[in-house]
Amino acid sequence: MQDLMNITFFASIVCFFIAAAAQMVGLIFKKARIAKAAWLLTSVSTLVLACYLVMRGVAAGRLPLANQFEFATAFAWGIAGMTVFLHVKMKLDWLGAFSVPAVFLMLSYSALLPRDITALMPALKSAWFGLHIASAVISYASFAVASFTGLRYLVDLKHGRKAEEAAMKQLDYLTYRMIALGFLFLTVVILSGCIWAEQAWSSFWSWDPKETWALITWIIYAIYLHLRINKRMAGRKMAVFAAASLVFVIFTFIGVNQLLPGLHSYK
């Protein structure tokens, strides 16, 4: 079983690498056949990675979200799944050129982490485990996609496509919707985490580094939504905001774990 899981995991990395290259070639050279093949390969790669997560979950007897490796892998799958969904739903042919390389990089990072299946530590044995961490996967993946759509908006502006007003407004609005979705699920993460922490450590909030940076990230995106909804801000400034804010997500996920050890520093 372990050998099959390893083969499936590394096969998904190879598939995403090829898919990322095909996505870039299809977008740059505008080759319809290559673009179609790239999306087919992206979909297959996403399915292969999903199979790996299912196999790992069955082998572990729990959701495969208990450590840094598992979360990184699930995070990568979340980005890939949202990318495929948005492509099918909205025909965003360009999105894969941004998101699929990011999925490959995230999987490459996870490949450097210990892949041993371990039992849940006592603090993680809770009914809140699935809701809390699965919500984080959805939240982070939504913020990542929002960053990519924000970058696409900026690229279009730089190349003088401002005249395509309808398309630019759609892109701007999609960025807002993805951030709103991510913010909703990050709120669930924080609230469920508070309840879970009270059960595990008898305190709703302990200013653990992961908690603190999750709150900082929440505040950053709350500012975006405030500017968007109450100040009616849109366009270039908000695209820059959306693209740059992903730094806080990545630091909360990777940086805190590596640099600021605490209660949430799971390996």
Side-chain angles (χ1 to χ4, degrees):
M1 182 67 168
Q2 186 63 45
D3 289 341
L4 179 59
M5 286 195 298
N6 286 335
I7 291 172
T8 305
F9 175 69
F10 285 105
S12 71
I13 296 180
V14 173
C15 287
F16 274 113
F17 174 76
I18 299 172
Q23 290 280 2
M24 295 294 292
V25 170
L27 180 67
I28 294 172
F29 296 101
K30 300 186 184 302
K31 299 291 186 180
R33 287 186 178 180
I34 295 178
K36 186 176 181 179
W39 278 108
L40 178 60
L41 185 55
T42 299
S43 300
V44 171
S45 303
T46 304
L47 181 60
V48 171
L49 187 57
C51 289
Y52 172 75
L53 288 170
V54 170
M55 284 191 293
R56 187 174 179 93
V58 171
R62 54 168 172 76
L63 289 175
L65 299 170
N67 53 47
Q68 189 79 346
F69 166 77
E70 291 176 349
F71 188 89
T73 305
F75 183 13
W77 180 82
I79 297 174
M82 284 191 178
T83 298
V84 172
F85 174 79
L86 288 173
H87 171 67
V88 173
K89 187 76 174 178
M90 303 181 66
K91 307 302 180 185
L92 300 179
D93 292 337
W94 55 268
L95 183 57
F98 288 82
S99 60
V100 179
V103 172
F104 169 72
L105 290 175
M106 184 57 65
L107 287 176
S108 298
Y109 163 71
S110 66
L112 300 176
L113 300 170
R115 297 193 302 278
D116 297 334
I117 296 177
T118 56
L120 286 176
M121 61 177 62
L124 292 181
K125 293 180 179 179
S126 169
W128 295 100
F129 170 67
L131 176 65
H132 179 72
I133 304 181
S135 294
V137 170
I138 297 172
S139 175
Y140 287 9
S142 299
F143 290 144
V145 173
S147 179
F148 304 148
T149 57
L151 286 172
R152 172 65 190 215
Y153 187 98
L154 296 173
V155 169
D156 283 355
L157 278 183
K158 185 176 180 180
H159 288 82
R161 295 169 189 159
K162 191 174 181 180
E164 301 173 11
E165 187 174 350
M168 295 296 283
K169 283 185 176 181
Q170 182 189 47
L171 197 54
D172 180 64
Y173 186 59
L174 176 60
T175 303
Y176 158 65
R177 286 193 294 172
M178 295 308 300
I179 286 181
L181 178 65
F183 183 80
L184 171 64
F185 277 94
L186 184 57
T187 302
V188 173
V189 171
I190 293 174
L191 292 179
S192 62
C194 288
I195 299 172
W196 190 1
E198 197 280 330
Q199 293 178 350
W201 301 305
S202 301
S203 174
F204 287 104
W205 194 269
S206 59
W207 295 105
D208 177 76
K210 183 76 78 172
E211 294 175 350
T212 303
W213 276 94
L215 179 61
I216 291 172
T217 302
W218 186 90
I219 291 172
I220 292 297
Y221 284 104
I223 292 172
Y224 173 95
L225 293 174
H226 169 73
L227 294 175
R228 175 84 191 200
I229 297 170
N230 295 326
K231 299 298 183 180
R232 305 293 181 182
M233 291 182 64
R236 182 180 181 278
K237 289 183 179 180
M238 300 309 286
V240 171
F241 198 132
S245 297
L246 187 62
V247 172
F248 291 91
V249 174
I250 298 301
F251 185 79
T252 301
F253 169 46
I254 299 177
V256 170
N257 196 66
Q258 299 297 324
L259 303 176
L260 303 171
L263 293 172
H264 290 79
S265 298
Y266 307 128
K267 300 299 184 181

